[in-house]
Amino acid sequence: MALTKQLKQAGIFIVFALLTSLAKANDNIPAARALDNEPERFGNYEVYFSAFNSTFITPDVADQYNLRRGERYGIVNIAIRDVSEGELGKAVTGTIAGHSMNLLTQKKGLEFSEVKDGGAVYYLADFKFSDKELLKFVIDVMPQDSLKSETLRFEQTFYQ
């Protein structure tokens, strides 16, 4: 619960609002599509993703989830929803693997940890960046009960 609370305070609550069972009961929660990052749709699954500076979370939360925290570290967040039975869908587990790559094509692997928080399931990995650095992310996502892995690609510039 502490991580979700910290992310809400950082303005990233929109994705997590959909990841909780409370989302159905609260009509005031904005839709996840309000984020710049539209979820990627792969068959019956939507994959939500965001990357942000790790200073948006407290040191206690970083310690709790074994994440590096500081002005040179970021966190990438991935969540999978099975939308086969409705637009809101339900959170599902999966296998997540990937890397980040800078403009010099230097790759760094991402080590994702699964976090279950109430009805929410999400995957977090930390990474290091330089000021004003553009990073490209390539992340393979295989939802539970899926026979095929899909590749999510996005890029973002990070600032210290």
Side-chain angles (χ1 to χ4, degrees), residues 2-153:
L3 181 61
T4 300
K5 183 177 178 183
Q6 292 297 317
L7 292 172
K8 285 180 184 178
Q9 291 173 351
I12 303 169
F13 74 97
I14 298 170
V15 169
F16 291 96
L18 282 177
L19 299 178
T20 65
S21 58
L22 299 174
K24 290 182 182 178
N26 190 342
D27 292 334
N28 295 325
I29 296 174
R33 285 166 176 71
L35 287 174
D36 288 339
N37 295 336
E38 290 280 330
E40 289 288 329
R41 180 82 183 243
F42 300 116
N44 290 329
Y45 301 97
E46 284 187 344
V47 177
Y48 293 82
F49 60 97
S50 62
F52 52 92
N53 193 301
S54 66
T55 57
F56 286 164
I57 61 173
T58 65
D60 291 343
V61 171
D63 287 343
Q64 180 180 356
Y65 295 101
N66 199 29
L67 297 167
R68 293 177 293 176
R69 184 182 179 279
E71 66 180 30
R72 302 186 100 196
Y73 291 98
I75 297 172
V76 62
N77 169 43
I78 305 294
I80 310 166
R81 298 202 58 85
D82 181 343
V83 292
S84 61
E85 296 182 21
E87 186 177 331
L88 183 59
K90 71 174 190 168
V92 296
T93 60
T95 303
I96 312 292
H99 66 270
S100 65
M101 184 172 56
N102 65 15
L103 292 176
L104 299 175
T105 66
Q106 297 169 320
K107 292 182 183 181
K108 293 185 181 170
L110 296 168
E111 294 183 33
F112 287 92
S113 297
E114 182 180 87
V115 175
K116 292 184 178 179
D117 189 4
V121 179
Y122 41 96
Y123 297 86
L124 303 172
D126 59 23
F127 57 91
K128 193 170 185 177
F129 64 87
S130 299
D131 191 31
K132 301 175 189 165
E133 183 172 28
L134 174 68
L135 290 178
K136 296 180 180 196
F137 294 89
V138 178
I139 300 170
D140 294 320
V141 178
M142 179 178 268
Q144 73 181 31
D145 301 328
S146 178
L147 300 176
K148 136 180 187 181
S149 177
E150 300 285 355
T151 302
L152 172 68
R153 298 172 193 276

